[in-house]
Amino acid sequence: MEKLVSVIIPIFNVVDYLQQSVESILDQTYVNLQVILVDDGSTDGSSHLAEILKRKDSRIELIHKNNEGLSSARNVGLSIATGEYAYFFDSDDLAESNLIEESVRFLETNNADFVTFTHDVIDNKNQYVRGKINNQEYKLSRIISNEDLISKVLTGKIRVEAWSYIFRREVFTGADIKFQVGKKYEDNDTTLLLILASTKSGILKSKDVPYYHYRKRKDSITGHITRSSYDDLISMTNSVVQIIKKNTDISYAIDFYILNQYLSAFRILRVTNGTKEEYLRINNIIKKNISIRPIVSSKKTMIKVFYWIFWNTVKCLK
């Protein structure tokens, strides 16, 4: 008998995408699913649509709750999950029909606890967004050591988002991992804690198109930059650094991660008009962590560094 997979789908104001997204899970070739819809206080008709979807498929369980954010919704969904494996799926994205079947086959064949898989990026009309994919590390399905996998996560070679992997549920709950409620970038530290708790982790190559289609929306949580974006990024960065330094001997990758996170924080300060004291603090941290190796090894880092140099030069000229 196929082992049960719990798919946890937080919902908040995604009425334009919800049906297609949920159906991409219901239409999986792997049928033994517990599909947990967690309506996080939607106000746009998503709640009603979720009720309609529930009546159409007995595998769906629906929870309505007050709005507390994505982290809370995931925590609630996981608390009622009963599957051998679990998956956090985003309610505006799409999955290929073989995603769960081939992920579970990899986990079962290799007796693994965690597997991450290929993705691409689509727009509001389901059109592929060019230049947004980094699947270089997914060219070969394989088991990978936890420290090597974490290093690839920290250097941006492997995705960190909760939608980018399927895992053995008891590993997550057994380590008492929780998403920090009320925070953006909420899966930055939980993903690393899950990898550290896993006995064996792996990477899954797709035979044809990527398994997961991430939808890039300007009105999404991560796409909307506010003052809290800065505070949450700093908080999550500190959390990740503490986890890595406490549990591993990783050095270069964590230095790379710190540099990139604070370069991103600098950009958020530019958008949200940070204070002079905040700029001084960020600049001191960047200067302390900047080096040639991460700049020449990553085009994305190079662009961030040029941005940082440009705006600091402009400020000095004023």
Side-chain angles (χ1 to χ4, degrees):
M1 183 182 294
E2 291 182 336
K3 292 183 177 177
L4 182 67
V5 177
S6 298
V7 183
I8 298 154
I9 310 179
I11 299 169
F12 181 71
N13 291 354
V14 286
V15 69
D16 292 336
Y17 312 105
L18 181 60
Q19 182 163 346
Q20 187 181 24
S21 294
V22 172
E23 286 179 350
S24 77
I25 293 297
L26 298 177
D27 292 341
Q28 291 288 304
T29 55
Y30 194 97
V31 298
N32 193 18
L33 303 175
Q34 175 192 27
V35 181
I36 304 170
L37 305 183
V38 185
D39 171 36
D40 192 42
S42 295
T43 58
D44 70 338
S46 294
S47 300
H48 178 64
L49 179 54
E51 289 284 356
I52 294 173
L53 291 169
K54 180 180 183 299
R55 290 195 290 270
K56 289 183 177 180
D57 198 304
S58 61
R59 295 175 295 175
I60 293 179
E61 299 178 30
L62 175 59
I63 299 170
H64 294 290
K65 62 185 289 296
N66 293 331
N67 178 246
E68 295 175 289
L70 181 58
S71 293
S72 174
R74 284 179 177 156
N75 289 337
V76 168
L78 191 62
S79 72
I80 67 167
T82 58
E84 174 78 12
Y85 301 106
Y87 179 37
F88 296 112
F89 181 76
D90 280 1
S91 56
D92 55 350
D93 296 341
L94 299 173
E96 288 295 308
S97 62
N98 59 348
L99 166 62
I100 295 177
E101 180 181 0
E102 295 191 10
S103 295
V104 171
R105 182 183 298 127
F106 179 93
L107 291 164
E108 291 282 289
T109 300
N110 294 283
N111 193 26
D113 298 325
F114 175 103
V115 65
T116 179
F117 38 75
T118 54
H119 78 285
D120 62 13
V121 180
I122 59 175
D123 61 18
N124 289 358
K125 297 180 180 179
N126 297 348
Q127 298 299 306
Y128 164 61
V129 179
R130 295 187 181 278
K132 294 288 185 180
I133 302 177
N134 179 14
N135 285 322
Q136 291 300 310
E137 291 292 337
Y138 297 83
K139 289 184 175 180
L140 176 68
S141 294
R142 64 195 189 278
I143 293 297
I144 182 172
S145 72
N146 285 345
E147 285 212 356
D148 194 12
L149 179 56
I150 288 172
S151 291
K152 293 181 185 301
V153 168
L154 294 174
T155 53
K157 296 176 181 178
I158 294 289
R159 300 294 305 207
V160 72
E161 289 83 356
W163 52 256
S164 65
Y165 52 82
I166 292 177
F167 58 95
R168 196 177 302 274
R169 180 180 59 84
E170 287 189 355
V171 173
F172 199 103
T173 56
D176 197 28
I177 300 170
K178 295 284 194 304
F179 292 95
Q180 294 187 43
V181 176
K183 300 280 189 182
K184 295 180 181 178
Y185 320 107
E186 72 291 330
D187 37 17
N188 283 21
D189 58 355
T190 51
T191 298
L192 298 177
L193 288 169
L194 175 59
I195 294 171
L196 286 167
S198 298
T199 302
K200 196 184 292 185
S201 302
I203 294 172
L204 181 61
K205 169 190 174 182
S206 51
K207 295 185 180 72
D208 190 8
V209 297
Y211 288 109
Y212 191 90
H213 310 295
Y214 170 76
R215 192 184 303 279
K216 190 76 171 176
R217 293 193 293 127
K218 290 183 179 179
D219 60 341
S220 67
I221 295 173
T222 53
H224 185 53
I225 296 177
T226 63
R227 173 66 210 198
S228 67
S229 302
Y230 172 80
D231 296 328
D232 290 349
L233 182 59
I234 297 300
S235 174
M236 282 298 168
T237 299
N238 291 337
S239 178
V240 167
V241 171
Q242 289 177 13
I243 290 167
I244 298 305
K245 289 188 174 180
K246 179 181 178 181
N247 295 283
T248 76
D249 295 321
I250 294 170
S251 55
Y252 167 71
I254 192 62
D255 292 339
F256 181 100
Y257 175 81
I258 292 170
L259 175 61
N260 275 273
Q261 292 296 92
Y262 277 94
L263 286 168
S264 295
F266 178 85
R267 176 177 173 271
I268 295 174
L269 282 184
R270 288 292 313 163
V271 174
T272 59
N273 297 316
T275 66
K276 180 180 179 180
E277 291 73 20
E278 288 170 333
Y279 278 117
L280 287 172
R281 177 173 175 269
I282 291 291
N283 280 339
N284 285 335
I285 295 173
I286 291 172
K287 289 173 184 176
K288 181 180 177 181
N289 288 277
I290 201 165
S291 63
I292 294 297
R293 184 180 173 191
I295 297 173
V296 299
S297 65
S298 167
K299 183 179 178 181
K300 191 173 182 179
T301 305
M302 186 180 297
I303 292 170
K304 288 181 179 180
V305 169
F306 284 151
Y307 179 93
W308 173 69
I309 292 172
F310 172 78
W311 282 110
N312 273 288
T313 303
V314 168
K315 272 192 126 182
C316 289
L317 292 174
K318 287 183 178 180

